[in-house]
Amino acid sequence: MIPGITNAQGASLLLEALAQRGMRLTGPRRRLVEAIASQKGLFTAEGVHSVVPEVGRATVFRTLKTLVGMGLLCRVPMEHGAPRYGLASRLHHHHLVCVACGEVRDFVRPEVEAILHRLASSADLRVLGHRLEVYVLCAHCQQKEGACSALPLA
Amino acid sequence: MIPGITNAQGASLLLEALAQRGMRLTGPRRRLVEAIASQKGLFTAEGVHSVVPEVGRATVFRTLKTLVGMGLLCRVPMEHGAPRYGLASRLHHHHLVCVACGEVRDFVRPEVEAILHRLASSADLRVLGHRLEVYVLCAHCQQKEGACSALPLA
DNA sequence: CGCATTAGTGATACCTGGTATCATTTTATC
DNA sequence: GATAAAATGATACCAGGTATCACTAATGCG
Ligand SMILES: [Mn+2]
Ligand SMILES: [Mn+2]
Ligand SMILES: [Zn+2]
Ligand SMILES: [Zn+2]
């Protein structure tokens, strides 16, 4: 669910992106993408499949993989439990993951890139990519003091 | 394999740490820890098991988990293929992973922590932890232009 | 040392996230 | 509408890892 637009609009955006790359807009794809666009925050493959159980499991994984490969979804592995998927901004970004409610927020800190650039040039490395994930308790969840089911990577 | 000391010394360090926490120094544990201490860079559960195949598979995973839990090993998930394990320094650190040869180097950049601290206080978040992994081509591997079998998380 | 207690082991079966296969269906194009 | 290529989904399979549980062995005490 992208803030500020409807789920249907979000689904259309994904479908357009698929069409632009020459992928066919099949029935299962449409329904699956609609289910994905309706998810709040991060979701699991299982979770989105349960919304459209008539779509085959293989198709669910295939489509998620395609969308991740296209940069439209992020895949966030967790230390315990299934990896989570989430709608991605198109640009490079990092993740703020609330370990209690699972909400994920993208953030950008150009300083991080600057640090890595300095690190690389001082050590004769070629940086190919990086991943920064920050595990937090969001403002909302700091009240509740609840349990968190799926701890992220420490 | 810890630079500057022998494998036997490295194994002893791990065994001491286990004993200090009241864990028994069993035969399988000794042989497994010896195999772990002899690994160069990152290794897979499968890889270390193949060195001591007489130790049960369950014991391999149990022991790796214990050592990770104690902070003596790091577990580095890869996008494709099995997660890698590596000897950890005790302090918080980040990872420089060469995607070609698999070599991993720990590094520390206090600036990263400073950035996250600022981020947290400005957004009313409680930071519980974070993970920064940088995927590089090391100086040595920039020559070879070889294939890399297991791409890390993009 | 000898024994009891208890942690640890490992064979087995099982679980989960995901993929290969492949006959069948559906889409896009002409 | 015919055609060719892409997609689907049932099925079987794979890999990393865990639960079970009868058995083994490290430890600690007398
Ligand atoms: Mn993201
Ligand atoms: Mn490390
Ligand atoms: Zn939260
Ligand atoms: Zn290298």
PDB file of all heavy atoms in Angstrom, chain A residues 55-78:
ATOM      1  N   VAL A  55      -4.243 -18.606  -7.113  1.00  0.00           N
ATOM      2  CA  VAL A  55      -3.011 -18.495  -7.898  1.00  0.00           C
ATOM      3  C   VAL A  55      -2.003 -19.500  -7.358  1.00  0.00           C
ATOM      4  O   VAL A  55      -1.852 -19.653  -6.145  1.00  0.00           O
ATOM      5  CB  VAL A  55      -2.447 -17.062  -7.811  1.00  0.00           C
ATOM      6  CG1 VAL A  55      -1.102 -16.966  -8.518  1.00  0.00           C
ATOM      7  CG2 VAL A  55      -3.425 -16.063  -8.379  1.00  0.00           C
ATOM      8  N   GLY A  56      -1.341 -20.201  -8.249  1.00  0.00           N
ATOM      9  CA  GLY A  56      -0.410 -21.254  -7.834  1.00  0.00           C
ATOM     10  C   GLY A  56       0.763 -20.716  -7.038  1.00  0.00           C
ATOM     11  O   GLY A  56       1.209 -19.581  -7.240  1.00  0.00           O
ATOM     12  N   ARG A  57       1.255 -21.579  -6.157  1.00  0.00           N
ATOM     13  CA  ARG A  57       2.358 -21.180  -5.300  1.00  0.00           C
ATOM     14  C   ARG A  57       3.588 -20.822  -6.133  1.00  0.00           C
ATOM     15  O   ARG A  57       4.279 -19.835  -5.866  1.00  0.00           O
ATOM     16  CB  ARG A  57       2.700 -22.321  -4.326  1.00  0.00           C
ATOM     17  CG  ARG A  57       3.236 -21.864  -3.001  1.00  0.00           C
ATOM     18  CD  ARG A  57       3.307 -23.019  -2.008  1.00  0.00           C
ATOM     19  NE  ARG A  57       4.388 -23.937  -2.262  1.00  0.00           N
ATOM     20  CZ  ARG A  57       5.577 -23.890  -1.613  1.00  0.00           C
ATOM     21  NH1 ARG A  57       5.795 -22.998  -0.697  1.00  0.00           N
ATOM     22  NH2 ARG A  57       6.506 -24.753  -1.891  1.00  0.00           N
ATOM     23  N   ALA A  58       3.866 -21.616  -7.147  1.00  0.00           N
ATOM     24  CA  ALA A  58       5.028 -21.350  -8.000  1.00  0.00           C
ATOM     25  C   ALA A  58       4.911 -19.972  -8.637  1.00  0.00           C
ATOM     26  O   ALA A  58       5.895 -19.230  -8.710  1.00  0.00           O
ATOM     27  CB  ALA A  58       5.145 -22.426  -9.067  1.00  0.00           C
ATOM     28  N   THR A  59       3.720 -19.634  -9.060  1.00  0.00           N
ATOM     29  CA  THR A  59       3.510 -18.324  -9.694  1.00  0.00           C
ATOM     30  C   THR A  59       3.752 -17.193  -8.700  1.00  0.00           C
ATOM     31  O   THR A  59       4.306 -16.151  -9.052  1.00  0.00           O
ATOM     32  CB  THR A  59       2.098 -18.235 -10.283  1.00  0.00           C
ATOM     33  OG1 THR A  59       1.974 -19.243 -11.277  1.00  0.00           O
ATOM     34  CG2 THR A  59       1.836 -16.886 -10.904  1.00  0.00           C
ATOM     35  N   VAL A  60       3.346 -17.408  -7.456  1.00  0.00           N
ATOM     36  CA  VAL A  60       3.586 -16.388  -6.438  1.00  0.00           C
ATOM     37  C   VAL A  60       5.078 -16.123  -6.313  1.00  0.00           C
ATOM     38  O   VAL A  60       5.527 -14.968  -6.400  1.00  0.00           O
ATOM     39  CB  VAL A  60       3.005 -16.817  -5.072  1.00  0.00           C
ATOM     40  CG1 VAL A  60       3.434 -15.856  -3.980  1.00  0.00           C
ATOM     41  CG2 VAL A  60       1.488 -16.905  -5.142  1.00  0.00           C
ATOM     42  N   PHE A  61       5.845 -17.183  -6.151  1.00  0.00           N
ATOM     43  CA  PHE A  61       7.299 -17.003  -5.979  1.00  0.00           C
ATOM     44  C   PHE A  61       7.943 -16.455  -7.237  1.00  0.00           C
ATOM     45  O   PHE A  61       8.805 -15.583  -7.172  1.00  0.00           O
ATOM     46  CB  PHE A  61       7.950 -18.328  -5.565  1.00  0.00           C
ATOM     47  CG  PHE A  61       7.743 -18.643  -4.113  1.00  0.00           C
ATOM     48  CD1 PHE A  61       6.862 -19.631  -3.718  1.00  0.00           C
ATOM     49  CD2 PHE A  61       8.425 -17.929  -3.133  1.00  0.00           C
ATOM     50  CE1 PHE A  61       6.669 -19.920  -2.369  1.00  0.00           C
ATOM     51  CE2 PHE A  61       8.234 -18.210  -1.781  1.00  0.00           C
ATOM     52  CZ  PHE A  61       7.349 -19.219  -1.396  1.00  0.00           C
ATOM     53  N   ARG A  62       7.514 -16.959  -8.388  1.00  0.00           N
ATOM     54  CA  ARG A  62       8.064 -16.453  -9.648  1.00  0.00           C
ATOM     55  C   ARG A  62       7.824 -14.950  -9.771  1.00  0.00           C
ATOM     56  O   ARG A  62       8.719 -14.182 -10.144  1.00  0.00           O
ATOM     57  CB  ARG A  62       7.382 -17.163 -10.825  1.00  0.00           C
ATOM     58  CG  ARG A  62       8.071 -18.437 -11.246  1.00  0.00           C
ATOM     59  CD  ARG A  62       7.545 -18.938 -12.577  1.00  0.00           C
ATOM     60  NE  ARG A  62       6.153 -19.377 -12.506  1.00  0.00           N
ATOM     61  CZ  ARG A  62       5.745 -20.630 -12.710  1.00  0.00           C
ATOM     62  NH1 ARG A  62       6.624 -21.573 -12.973  1.00  0.00           N
ATOM     63  NH2 ARG A  62       4.485 -20.954 -12.645  1.00  0.00           N
ATOM     64  N   THR A  63       6.596 -14.526  -9.471  1.00  0.00           N
ATOM     65  CA  THR A  63       6.252 -13.116  -9.644  1.00  0.00           C
ATOM     66  C   THR A  63       7.002 -12.238  -8.654  1.00  0.00           C
ATOM     67  O   THR A  63       7.498 -11.162  -9.017  1.00  0.00           O
ATOM     68  CB  THR A  63       4.740 -12.933  -9.501  1.00  0.00           C
ATOM     69  OG1 THR A  63       4.089 -13.820 -10.411  1.00  0.00           O
ATOM     70  CG2 THR A  63       4.329 -11.505  -9.809  1.00  0.00           C
ATOM     71  N   LEU A  64       7.091 -12.701  -7.402  1.00  0.00           N
ATOM     72  CA  LEU A  64       7.837 -11.921  -6.418  1.00  0.00           C
ATOM     73  C   LEU A  64       9.279 -11.751  -6.882  1.00  0.00           C
ATOM     74  O   LEU A  64       9.845 -10.655  -6.801  1.00  0.00           O
ATOM     75  CB  LEU A  64       7.804 -12.623  -5.048  1.00  0.00           C
ATOM     76  CG  LEU A  64       6.465 -12.568  -4.312  1.00  0.00           C
ATOM     77  CD1 LEU A  64       6.524 -13.395  -3.041  1.00  0.00           C
ATOM     78  CD2 LEU A  64       6.106 -11.126  -3.971  1.00  0.00           C
ATOM     79  N   LYS A  65       9.858 -12.839  -7.367  1.00  0.00           N
ATOM     80  CA  LYS A  65      11.244 -12.785  -7.816  1.00  0.00           C
ATOM     81  C   LYS A  65      11.403 -11.791  -8.963  1.00  0.00           C
ATOM     82  O   LYS A  65      12.340 -10.991  -8.994  1.00  0.00           O
ATOM     83  CB  LYS A  65      11.670 -14.184  -8.281  1.00  0.00           C
ATOM     84  CG  LYS A  65      13.146 -14.348  -8.438  1.00  0.00           C
ATOM     85  CD  LYS A  65      13.460 -15.776  -8.852  1.00  0.00           C
ATOM     86  CE  LYS A  65      14.943 -16.079  -8.656  1.00  0.00           C
ATOM     87  NZ  LYS A  65      15.249 -17.482  -8.986  1.00  0.00           N
ATOM     88  N   THR A  66      10.471 -11.848  -9.899  1.00  0.00           N
ATOM     89  CA  THR A  66      10.507 -10.918 -11.026  1.00  0.00           C
ATOM     90  C   THR A  66      10.451  -9.479 -10.547  1.00  0.00           C
ATOM     91  O   THR A  66      11.247  -8.633 -10.969  1.00  0.00           O
ATOM     92  CB  THR A  66       9.316 -11.190 -11.958  1.00  0.00           C
ATOM     93  OG1 THR A  66       9.415 -12.531 -12.433  1.00  0.00           O
ATOM     94  CG2 THR A  66       9.323 -10.228 -13.137  1.00  0.00           C
ATOM     95  N   LEU A  67       9.520  -9.206  -9.636  1.00  0.00           N
ATOM     96  CA  LEU A  67       9.338  -7.832  -9.165  1.00  0.00           C
ATOM     97  C   LEU A  67      10.555  -7.347  -8.378  1.00  0.00           C
ATOM     98  O   LEU A  67      10.932  -6.179  -8.476  1.00  0.00           O
ATOM     99  CB  LEU A  67       8.066  -7.729  -8.322  1.00  0.00           C
ATOM    100  CG  LEU A  67       6.763  -7.935  -9.109  1.00  0.00           C
ATOM    101  CD1 LEU A  67       5.575  -8.027  -8.166  1.00  0.00           C
ATOM    102  CD2 LEU A  67       6.561  -6.800 -10.108  1.00  0.00           C
ATOM    103  N   VAL A  68      11.150  -8.246  -7.601  1.00  0.00           N
ATOM    104  CA  VAL A  68      12.372  -7.875  -6.890  1.00  0.00           C
ATOM    105  C   VAL A  68      13.465  -7.582  -7.908  1.00  0.00           C
ATOM    106  O   VAL A  68      14.173  -6.582  -7.806  1.00  0.00           O
ATOM    107  CB  VAL A  68      12.812  -8.991  -5.919  1.00  0.00           C
ATOM    108  CG1 VAL A  68      14.206  -8.702  -5.371  1.00  0.00           C
ATOM    109  CG2 VAL A  68      11.816  -9.123  -4.780  1.00  0.00           C
ATOM    110  N   GLY A  69      13.576  -8.462  -8.905  1.00  0.00           N
ATOM    111  CA  GLY A  69      14.595  -8.271  -9.935  1.00  0.00           C
ATOM    112  C   GLY A  69      14.430  -6.964 -10.685  1.00  0.00           C
ATOM    113  O   GLY A  69      15.403  -6.354 -11.132  1.00  0.00           O
ATOM    114  N   MET A  70      13.190  -6.524 -10.808  1.00  0.00           N
ATOM    115  CA  MET A  70      12.917  -5.270 -11.500  1.00  0.00           C
ATOM    116  C   MET A  70      13.074  -4.068 -10.581  1.00  0.00           C
ATOM    117  O   MET A  70      12.900  -2.926 -11.008  1.00  0.00           O
ATOM    118  CB  MET A  70      11.504  -5.289 -12.064  1.00  0.00           C
ATOM    119  CG  MET A  70      11.342  -6.237 -13.240  1.00  0.00           C
ATOM    120  SD  MET A  70       9.607  -6.426 -13.723  1.00  0.00           S
ATOM    121  CE  MET A  70       9.125  -4.708 -13.867  1.00  0.00           C
ATOM    122  N   GLY A  71      13.336  -4.321  -9.317  1.00  0.00           N
ATOM    123  CA  GLY A  71      13.535  -3.222  -8.382  1.00  0.00           C
ATOM    124  C   GLY A  71      12.241  -2.618  -7.881  1.00  0.00           C
ATOM    125  O   GLY A  71      12.246  -1.553  -7.277  1.00  0.00           O
ATOM    126  N   LEU A  72      11.124  -3.301  -8.152  1.00  0.00           N
ATOM    127  CA  LEU A  72       9.837  -2.760  -7.700  1.00  0.00           C
ATOM    128  C   LEU A  72       9.495  -3.227  -6.296  1.00  0.00           C
ATOM    129  O   LEU A  72       8.700  -2.602  -5.603  1.00  0.00           O
ATOM    130  CB  LEU A  72       8.727  -3.181  -8.667  1.00  0.00           C
ATOM    131  CG  LEU A  72       8.904  -2.628 -10.080  1.00  0.00           C
ATOM    132  CD1 LEU A  72       7.921  -3.282 -11.030  1.00  0.00           C
ATOM    133  CD2 LEU A  72       8.730  -1.123 -10.070  1.00  0.00           C
ATOM    134  N   LEU A  73      10.075  -4.352  -5.889  1.00  0.00           N
ATOM    135  CA  LEU A  73       9.898  -4.845  -4.527  1.00  0.00           C
ATOM    136  C   LEU A  73      11.261  -4.995  -3.874  1.00  0.00           C
ATOM    137  O   LEU A  73      12.257  -5.232  -4.548  1.00  0.00           O
ATOM    138  CB  LEU A  73       9.214  -6.215  -4.519  1.00  0.00           C
ATOM    139  CG  LEU A  73       7.735  -6.337  -4.837  1.00  0.00           C
ATOM    140  CD1 LEU A  73       7.286  -7.774  -4.604  1.00  0.00           C
ATOM    141  CD2 LEU A  73       6.922  -5.397  -3.968  1.00  0.00           C
ATOM    142  N   CYS A  74      11.274  -4.874  -2.527  1.00  0.00           N
ATOM    143  CA  CYS A  74      12.460  -5.222  -1.755  1.00  0.00           C
ATOM    144  C   CYS A  74      12.207  -6.555  -1.070  1.00  0.00           C
ATOM    145  O   CYS A  74      11.081  -6.848  -0.675  1.00  0.00           O
ATOM    146  CB  CYS A  74      12.711  -4.212  -0.640  1.00  0.00           C
ATOM    147  SG  CYS A  74      13.096  -2.571  -1.215  1.00  0.00           S
ATOM    148  N   ARG A  75      13.241  -7.347  -0.930  1.00  0.00           N
ATOM    149  CA  ARG A  75      13.170  -8.570  -0.150  1.00  0.00           C
ATOM    150  C   ARG A  75      14.026  -8.368   1.078  1.00  0.00           C
ATOM    151  O   ARG A  75      15.229  -8.092   0.960  1.00  0.00           O
ATOM    152  CB  ARG A  75      13.705  -9.742  -0.972  1.00  0.00           C
ATOM    153  CG  ARG A  75      13.216 -11.091  -0.513  1.00  0.00           C
ATOM    154  CD  ARG A  75      13.867 -12.206  -1.316  1.00  0.00           C
ATOM    155  NE  ARG A  75      14.931 -12.781  -0.532  1.00  0.00           N
ATOM    156  CZ  ARG A  75      14.975 -14.073  -0.176  1.00  0.00           C
ATOM    157  NH1 ARG A  75      14.039 -14.893  -0.589  1.00  0.00           N
ATOM    158  NH2 ARG A  75      15.951 -14.519   0.568  1.00  0.00           N
ATOM    159  N   VAL A  76      13.442  -8.455   2.245  1.00  0.00           N
ATOM    160  CA  VAL A  76      14.171  -8.220   3.487  1.00  0.00           C
ATOM    161  C   VAL A  76      14.243  -9.519   4.269  1.00  0.00           C
ATOM    162  O   VAL A  76      13.243  -9.960   4.826  1.00  0.00           O
ATOM    163  CB  VAL A  76      13.478  -7.143   4.346  1.00  0.00           C
ATOM    164  CG1 VAL A  76      14.312  -6.844   5.585  1.00  0.00           C
ATOM    165  CG2 VAL A  76      13.221  -5.887   3.545  1.00  0.00           C
ATOM    166  N   PRO A  77      15.411 -10.158   4.309  1.00  0.00           N
ATOM    167  CA  PRO A  77      15.525 -11.416   5.054  1.00  0.00           C
ATOM    168  C   PRO A  77      15.489 -11.155   6.551  1.00  0.00           C
ATOM    169  O   PRO A  77      15.990 -10.137   7.015  1.00  0.00           O
ATOM    170  CB  PRO A  77      16.886 -11.957   4.631  1.00  0.00           C
ATOM    171  CG  PRO A  77      17.659 -10.771   4.178  1.00  0.00           C
ATOM    172  CD  PRO A  77      16.668  -9.758   3.694  1.00  0.00           C
ATOM    173  N   MET A  78      14.875 -12.058   7.283  1.00  0.00           N
ATOM    174  CA  MET A  78      14.790 -11.956   8.736  1.00  0.00           C
ATOM    175  C   MET A  78      15.632 -13.065   9.337  1.00  0.00           C
ATOM    176  O   MET A  78      15.838 -14.101   8.715  1.00  0.00           O
ATOM    177  CB  MET A  78      13.340 -12.153   9.191  1.00  0.00           C
ATOM    178  CG  MET A  78      12.381 -11.128   8.645  1.00  0.00           C
ATOM    179  SD  MET A  78      12.469  -9.620   9.624  1.00  0.00           S
ATOM    180  CE  MET A  78      11.840  -8.445   8.445  1.00  0.00           C
TER     181      MET A  78
END
